[in-house]
Amino acid sequence: MYLRNFIFVGLPNFAIGLFISEHRESIKNFKFTKVLSIIAMVVFCATSDLEKYLLVSNKLNAPRDQYFSTTLLAMAVFIFFTIAVEFKSGKVSGILARLGQRYSLLIYIVLPIILTLCNQITPKIHLASVYKYTKPFVVFIGTVLVIFIYYLIKDAVQKKKQKKS
């Protein structure tokens, strides 16, 4: 599982992000980048669902978390946020960029834990039928809550340490 996530998901997305970062100016200068990236996000969301449907209906390996369209969707999202976020004097501005800088590591760590817990708990409390439609929202909200609580505790401990010294 770790090898598959690292090699087949992590490295390609990291490389795509690096490539887009290196070509940021030419991407920004293209006239229709924002519109095309939004259209691409919608199309690749739909094709990801289509891939899943085709795999399920043909009884193939459907419960994957990485479809071919997912990589293309990631590219569209990276490009959209590359042009949507302003870069000033080497520091990234914009709330989404700051959130990504501060919380991305914890999101990467906490999200799979929340996903696993929800997948195990919802059938036991007879919410599996509702959960299959609300999974992205439940996992997102659960992840945000855990990270929010973590930082509340961390900031409180740091303030307490600063008062002592």
Side-chain angles (χ1 to χ4, degrees):
M1 180 173 120
Y2 297 111
L3 182 68
R4 177 188 58 93
N5 284 340
F6 173 70
I7 291 180
F8 297 114
V9 178
L11 282 179
N13 287 331
F14 181 80
I16 290 166
L18 186 60
F19 177 82
I20 291 170
S21 176
E22 288 176 357
H23 296 88
R24 178 183 309 126
E25 291 308 313
S26 40
I27 291 170
K28 279 184 170 184
N29 291 335
F30 184 68
K31 190 175 182 180
F32 303 108
T33 303
K34 192 177 271 189
V35 173
L36 288 175
S37 63
I38 292 170
I39 292 169
M41 286 189 285
V42 171
V43 167
F44 294 132
C45 279
T47 56
S48 289
D49 282 342
L50 178 62
E51 276 184 77
K52 181 178 180 179
Y53 171 77
L54 290 172
L55 289 169
V56 168
S57 64
N58 290 311
K59 295 179 177 28
L60 297 170
N61 185 18
R64 295 188 280 170
D65 56 4
Q66 183 74 14
Y67 301 107
F68 178 72
S69 294
T70 308
T71 302
L72 300 173
L73 175 61
M75 291 173 63
V77 170
F78 292 166
I79 288 171
F80 177 78
F81 283 104
T82 295
I83 59 172
V85 174
E86 292 296 319
F87 293 85
K88 297 177 183 172
S89 66
K91 291 186 178 181
V92 180
S93 65
I95 190 163
L96 290 173
R98 284 190 301 242
L99 290 174
Q101 285 175 336
R102 183 166 186 192
Y103 302 118
S104 60
L105 177 62
L106 277 178
I107 291 169
Y108 190 74
I109 294 168
V110 171
L111 191 136
I113 295 169
I114 299 296
L115 180 62
T116 302
L117 288 174
C118 287
N119 286 341
Q120 291 176 354
I121 292 170
T122 53
K124 292 178 183 174
I125 59 174
H126 307 292
L127 290 175
S129 61
V130 174
Y131 176 65
K132 76 178 178 182
Y133 297 108
T134 60
K135 183 188 286 190
F137 304 105
V138 170
V139 172
F140 173 74
I141 291 168
T143 302
V144 168
L145 285 173
V146 168
I147 292 170
F148 178 74
I149 292 167
Y150 169 80
Y151 272 104
L152 278 177
I153 294 169
K154 181 182 175 190
D155 293 343
V157 168
Q158 285 179 342
K159 283 182 184 178
K160 197 172 187 177
K161 284 182 181 179
Q162 287 176 350
K163 285 183 181 179
K164 285 185 179 180
S165 59

